[in-house]
Amino acid sequence: NKLGLALFEVPTGWKFFGNLMDSKALYGKQDFTPFICGEESFGTGSDHVREKDGLWAVLAWMSILAQFNDGSETLVHVEDIVRAHWKEYGRNFYRRYDYEGVDKKLAEGMMSAMAASNATNIGRNAGGYKVKTADVFEYTDPLD
């Protein structure tokens, strides 16, 4: 919002980004370019990078570092960029859990309990941070 850019949270998969990338050319709707997108493995979430997106993460960070270090008298590090971003825009927290081989009924019960507690989690302090949003993700493609 601060930069006047459209932001979309989409399900995992480039097919969802693709619709937005082609919004003007194929659908005759609003043009959302310039465009940057990525999945949770953008390299900032853990000490390893999942799947093939690791190459994208490395190239993206190299591009970001090159931009910040162009003409800089001191070396700008990833940590410097990330901390400045957090100071300006706040932090975002995301956690991915992959559950395999679990009892379906128990898993559905856990998901129902988590969804039911979303409203009470908003505003709660957790580890020094205030929870701003807690939701069950739903997606409606803005172009279809």
Side-chain angles (χ1 to χ4, degrees):
N1 288 339
K2 184 174 186 171
L3 298 175
L5 301 173
L7 174 67
F8 299 93
E9 181 182 10
V10 301
T12 300
W14 286 89
K15 62 186 171 191
F16 298 104
F17 303 154
N19 250 7
L20 295 168
M21 292 171 140
D22 294 335
S23 59
K24 184 175 183 181
L26 296 181
Y27 298 100
K29 297 189 178 184
Q30 183 177 351
D31 186 0
F32 294 114
T33 58
F35 202 90
I36 184 169
C37 56
E39 295 179 296
E40 90 274 356
S41 60
F42 191 59
T44 58
S46 65
D47 61 356
H48 70 284
V49 178
R50 293 180 179 90
E51 300 133 7
K52 65 188 177 299
D53 297 322
L55 182 57
W56 161 247
V58 170
L59 292 172
W61 273 112
M62 287 174 62
S63 178
I64 292 166
L65 286 167
Q67 178 67 34
F68 274 85
N69 281 292
D70 186 28
S72 177
E73 293 183 20
T74 59
L75 182 64
V76 179
H77 297 268
V78 171
E79 181 179 0
D80 302 324
I81 296 167
V82 171
R83 290 192 179 277
H85 179 84
W86 290 343
K87 186 176 181 181
E88 181 78 16
Y89 300 103
R91 290 191 68 170
N92 182 48
F93 179 80
Y94 169 83
R95 179 165 286 169
R96 170 180 166 163
Y97 294 101
D98 293 324
Y99 295 99
E100 298 175 18
V102 298
D103 181 275
K104 182 179 179 182
K105 186 175 181 181
L106 292 174
E108 288 172 344
M110 178 192 72
M111 293 302 295
S112 293
M114 287 173 46
S117 69
N118 280 342
T120 59
N121 283 325
I122 297 172
R124 189 179 125 224
N125 287 315
Y129 297 96
K130 188 173 185 177
V131 177
K132 183 177 179 182
T133 305
D135 61 10
V136 175
F137 179 74
E138 294 181 33
Y139 182 71
T140 303
D141 190 311
L143 302 175
D144 287 341

